[in-house]
Amino acid sequence: MEYVLIIISAIFVNNVVLSRFLGVCPFIGVSKRVETSLGMAGAVTFVIVIATLVTYLIQKYILDNLGIGYMQTITFILVIAALVQLVEIILKKVSPSLYQALGIFLPLITTNCAVLGVAIMAVAPNLNYNIIEATVFATATAIGFGLALVIFAGIREQLELTNVPEGMKGTPIALIVAGLLAMAFMGFTGIA
């Protein structure tokens, strides 16, 4: 039951983009097409899960044991940067079209604060997760990020077909929709 609560909380209640406001840059920038947002969601999911798993092990077995917990942020950033390079190499070989579609946003996963934020939250003393709970938390958070990204992309694609006032086209209407989407996700607050 605890894992179910972690999953529901991470996906809906404490959505990393819509309630914690982490990862807003790719949320706004890559969400113009559903296909592109699915690719970004997959890449971010891979990086978040693997980064959380690796950083959890580094934190618990190296940084804490050596008493150098203050090196957490720089260590986590280096691990995330290495994983993003791995994703970039894989995408370039496996799906060149997706690699092109993601463009500049792919290397920016390195600086996506959602990835670093989830890795730090997973090892936070107040949550006291074990490695399985941390991995479930990371996976669910990444799914929540992807869900918000794909929903937002679908809405933006639909907005292109509607008659939006000239002054509201582009980023202004996107920010309004993002705010409405965040309010919609607030409806899940009492669940977990």
Side-chain angles (χ1 to χ4, degrees):
M1 186 62 175
E2 187 173 330
Y3 295 118
V4 173
L5 289 175
I6 290 171
I7 291 168
I8 291 172
S9 176
I11 293 174
F12 299 109
V13 179
N14 296 316
N15 187 287
V16 73
V17 177
L18 300 174
S19 79
R20 295 182 189 249
F21 303 110
L22 297 174
V24 174
C25 180
F27 179 70
I28 298 293
V30 180
S31 62
K32 293 179 180 165
R33 298 275 172 254
V34 172
E35 182 180 317
T36 307
S37 65
L38 281 169
M40 177 59 103
V44 169
T45 298
F46 176 78
V47 172
I48 284 178
V49 172
I50 300 301
T52 300
L53 187 61
V54 172
T55 56
Y56 183 92
L57 294 171
I58 290 171
Q59 180 72 38
K60 296 296 180 189
Y61 296 109
I62 297 174
L63 299 179
D64 288 348
N65 284 342
L66 295 176
I68 54 173
Y70 58 87
M71 295 293 291
Q72 179 188 58
T73 304
I74 190 71
T75 305
F76 285 15
I77 289 171
L78 290 173
V79 168
I80 291 166
L83 288 171
V84 169
Q85 288 300 312
L86 178 68
V87 168
E88 198 169 350
I89 290 168
I90 291 170
L91 272 182
K92 196 172 190 178
K93 289 188 183 268
V94 173
S95 179
S97 60
L98 180 58
Y99 176 78
Q100 284 296 105
L102 291 175
I104 188 67
F105 293 102
L106 189 56
L108 287 178
I109 293 175
T110 304
T111 59
N112 184 343
C113 55
V115 178
L116 181 60
V118 171
I120 290 173
M121 285 187 278
V123 297
N126 63 329
L127 294 177
N128 198 25
Y129 286 151
N130 61 36
I131 192 162
I132 296 169
E133 291 170 335
T135 305
V136 168
F137 170 73
T139 305
T141 302
I143 290 169
F145 176 85
L147 177 68
L149 193 64
V150 170
I151 290 172
F152 191 56
I155 293 170
R156 287 184 77 177
E157 279 186 359
Q158 188 63 36
L159 280 172
E160 288 181 8
L161 303 174
T162 60
N163 188 15
V164 177
E166 192 63 38
M168 295 297 291
K169 287 185 180 178
T171 304
I173 195 70
L175 292 174
I176 290 170
V177 169
L180 292 172
L181 194 56
M183 286 174 45
F185 269 67
M186 283 177 55
F188 295 111
T189 302
I191 291 177

